[in-house]
Amino acid sequence: MSKRFKKSFSGIFATVILTSLVLSGCGGSNDGDAKGSSGEGQVTLSFETSLYAEAPHKKAIDALISTFNEKNPNIKITVHGTDYENFWDKLTTEVIAGTEGDIVQVYPENISTYHSLISGGAFVNLDPYIKGKDFETQLVGQDLSKVGDSYYAISNYAWGTTGIFYRKSLFEKAGIDPASVKTLEDFKNAAIKLGVDTNNDGKLDQYGFASVVGSHPFVSSEWARLVARPVSGGIFFPNGEAAPYDADHINVNSAANIWAATWWQDFIKNEKATPPGTRDKKVGREMFWNGQAAMNMDGPWFIGMTAETDAKLMDDLGLLAQPVITYEGKEYKPNPTMYPSVAMISKGSKHPEEAWKFLEFMTTPEAQKIISGSGMIPSNKEFVATEEYQKENPLAVKFFEFQDTLYAPAVMDPPIPEQGALSQIMVDAAQDIFLGKKDAKAALDVAADKMKESFNK
């Protein structure tokens, strides 16, 4: 899942000016409503989310909204989004033009970036609804939903971190015990062993790992989550992407990150380990489902996606923790990012109280049960702790076990306005290294210079 801008701000403004002329003053989906937050009349709210592009999420979100609309006939929730990769560009343009949805669902590292696009902030301060309430302790990722000391989002949908999904039948055929894949070298050796010519025609038609090598933003996130961040502490800043966030502390071209990029570059060029050619995450997932790739890096949402694609595949779906890495004689535990989906209320919404009512409903056991159908792990800790949930979602529960016993604390992207620009620079550098096959040190040195410049604009 990318959570970053695909364009620079300067490249966006020309589009924004034209868009503003057409859309300014439109006020989202609520201009036709005769009544405001008094509770009288019909209120229509728009829910903007990137997740709607994926079938399991669409099914869950449709059911969630339908249930709420039935309980609250005077409040109608509509949803709009776009494909995942283009959602973030669209949202940037909309926020600047003031035409974003009443409710906008993002990830914690996006909050500050989008909030800061408008002088005085684009979204409602949610402290009155959240501070001092059970939400602060009951919702996974709520502590990540702040700008400064105030909450601007609620973690009310679901979350996930990442692991390595594998096809049990392909591992068995290759004679690989999944329990033996514990280190980065184990992972590499298994991937190479799983790359075979099943038709005996001199051409490989099965690969070990469905890596992303192309224009998709995952081209940077996979190597970062699997290799770089565990050994370097941070792609953008050291010590777990910790402050101070300034040009003097850019970490992208550290020795550990250069080593990690070089290792990954060598790994993906192995014709047995990864498929050749340019591809995105969608293609990699399809290769996994089709049996052309034996492993795929993903989060709990992939469970729901797999069930939606072919329920029969569920019996062949296994899950490994991300591997331990040895670098310069020291072992490093994996520390993959945790991805809670959080929701904000636009300051431009004419009905913030009704919007909050929907967001609060999403935290209830009834709504969380609906959300669990997406494959991701619902945010309400009490709901997830129930015997019913754990019995019905054994693979998802494994992610809890990984976090408790095998993973170091998750490292998140820096929650700063500049993060969109930094992320795009990282994507560009990853494409140069892994697709363009440029020298890792040279490419990351260039990236470091560009990141430093972004703080001086």
Side-chain angles (χ1 to χ4, degrees):
M1 308 174 176
S2 165
K3 299 162 288 297
R4 39 182 71 87
F5 298 139
K6 297 281 289 178
K7 302 174 183 174
S8 66
F9 284 114
S10 60
I12 293 172
F13 268 103
T15 302
V16 170
I17 291 171
L18 292 174
T19 305
S20 298
L21 292 174
V22 177
L23 299 177
S24 60
C26 289
S29 64
N30 299 322
D31 278 1
D33 296 336
K35 305 295 181 182
S37 294
S38 64
E40 300 177 15
Q42 179 77 43
V43 168
T44 300
L45 299 171
S46 53
F47 178 41
E48 189 160 7
T49 172
S50 66
L51 299 180
Y52 205 64
E54 297 178 352
H57 287 297
K58 182 181 185 302
K59 185 176 180 180
I61 291 170
D62 283 345
L64 191 69
I65 291 174
S66 176
T67 301
F68 180 81
N69 287 343
E70 288 176 6
K71 291 177 176 292
N72 301 273
N74 66 313
I75 306 174
K76 180 181 179 183
I77 307 291
T78 62
V79 65
H80 70 278
T82 185
D83 62 281
Y84 190 87
E85 193 168 353
N86 294 315
F87 176 85
W88 308 99
D89 282 349
K90 173 176 169 285
L91 180 57
T92 301
T93 303
E94 289 175 340
V95 171
I96 295 173
T99 59
E100 73 276 7
D102 295 278
I103 299 167
V104 179
Q105 189 181 63
V106 293
Y107 299 93
E109 61 263 40
N110 304 132
I111 298 170
S112 181
T113 300
Y114 288 102
H115 183 62
S116 66
L117 289 175
I118 299 297
S119 178
F123 298 94
V124 174
N125 185 318
L126 299 181
D127 282 352
Y129 302 105
I130 297 174
K131 278 197 171 180
K133 311 287 178 57
D134 289 342
F135 299 125
E136 288 193 282
T137 56
Q138 285 183 356
L139 302 178
V140 174
Q142 187 56 50
D143 57 324
L144 305 172
S145 302
K146 293 181 177 180
V147 175
D149 292 327
S150 291
Y151 293 110
Y152 281 85
I154 182 168
S155 181
N156 62 348
Y157 186 74
W159 66 277
T161 184
T162 47
I164 307 296
F165 288 91
Y166 68 94
R167 295 289 297 268
K168 296 177 182 177
S169 58
L170 298 183
F171 265 57
E172 184 177 357
K173 189 175 181 180
I176 300 173
D177 178 5
S180 70
V181 183
K182 297 179 179 179
T183 70
L184 189 64
E185 290 304 306
D186 294 337
F187 167 74
K188 179 180 74 174
N189 293 335
I192 293 171
K193 189 173 183 179
L194 287 160
V196 296
D197 170 15
T198 61
N199 294 321
N200 296 314
D201 59 2
K203 297 179 181 179
L204 288 170
D205 51 11
Q206 178 184 300
Y207 305 90
F209 179 70
S211 62
V212 175
V213 184
S215 60
H216 196 285
F218 276 23
V219 71
S220 68
S221 66
E222 286 192 338
W223 80 276
R225 284 179 284 173
L226 268 174
V227 191
R229 269 185 169 151
V231 298
S232 72
I235 295 298
F236 306 104
F237 300 94
N239 304 315
E241 304 289 3
Y245 300 123
D246 56 41
D248 293 335
H249 291 86
I250 290 296
N251 195 52
V252 67
N253 61 337
S254 66
N257 279 331
I258 292 169
W259 173 84
T262 302
W263 189 96
W264 192 253
Q265 189 179 50
D266 181 68
F267 171 70
I268 63 174
K269 75 179 181 182
N270 188 297
E271 62 176 5
K272 291 186 176 181
T274 62
T278 302
R279 60 205 165 276
D280 62 17
K281 194 63 183 174
K282 179 177 181 293
V283 173
R285 286 166 172 160
E286 289 172 349
M287 293 185 72
F288 180 88
W289 291 325
N290 294 335
Q292 294 174 277
M295 292 187 287
N296 174 57
M297 180 179 177
D298 241 309
W301 48 85
F302 188 66
I303 301 169
M305 295 172 72
T306 300
E308 190 77 19
T309 300
D310 185 352
K312 295 178 181 178
L313 290 176
M314 295 301 293
D315 290 337
D316 200 33
L317 190 65
L319 178 62
L320 300 169
Q322 289 183 206
V324 172
I325 302 164
T326 300
Y327 170 64
E328 293 190 339
K330 183 179 177 181
E331 285 193 347
Y332 294 84
K333 287 185 176 182
N335 54 11
T337 303
M338 186 181 70
Y339 294 111
S341 295
V342 302
M344 305 182 290
I345 299 175
S346 169
K347 276 188 177 179
S349 175
K350 295 180 180 179
H351 310 291
E353 292 297 327
E354 287 83 355
W356 173 255
K357 189 171 185 178
F358 176 61
L359 297 186
E360 187 175 27
F361 163 73
M362 289 174 65
T363 69
T364 64
E366 180 182 16
Q368 293 281 288
K369 183 175 177 61
I370 293 171
I371 290 168
S372 67
S374 70
M376 288 181 71
I377 304 170
S379 295
N380 190 311
K381 297 176 185 177
E382 290 185 357
F383 173 78
V384 173
T386 63
E387 183 178 348
E388 178 186 3
Y389 175 80
Q390 296 192 4
K391 183 177 180 180
E392 293 179 356
N393 300 274
L395 273 183
V397 171
K398 276 183 171 285
F399 284 99
F400 281 99
E401 298 172 4
F402 294 166
Q403 283 200 314
D404 289 343
T405 61
L406 300 175
Y407 288 178
V411 177
M412 311 293 289
D413 284 349
I416 55 175
E418 296 85 359
Q419 183 54 35
L422 298 183
S423 293
Q424 185 55 50
I425 292 168
M426 189 65 257
V427 170
D428 293 341
Q431 289 173 346
D432 286 342
I433 299 168
F434 306 129
L435 186 60
K437 301 179 181 179
K438 292 185 179 180
D439 176 73
K441 183 180 185 304
L444 293 180
D445 282 343
V446 170
D449 290 339
K450 290 181 178 179
M451 288 183 185
K452 291 173 183 177
E453 289 173 5
S454 71
F455 282 92
N456 300 319
K457 291 183 179 179

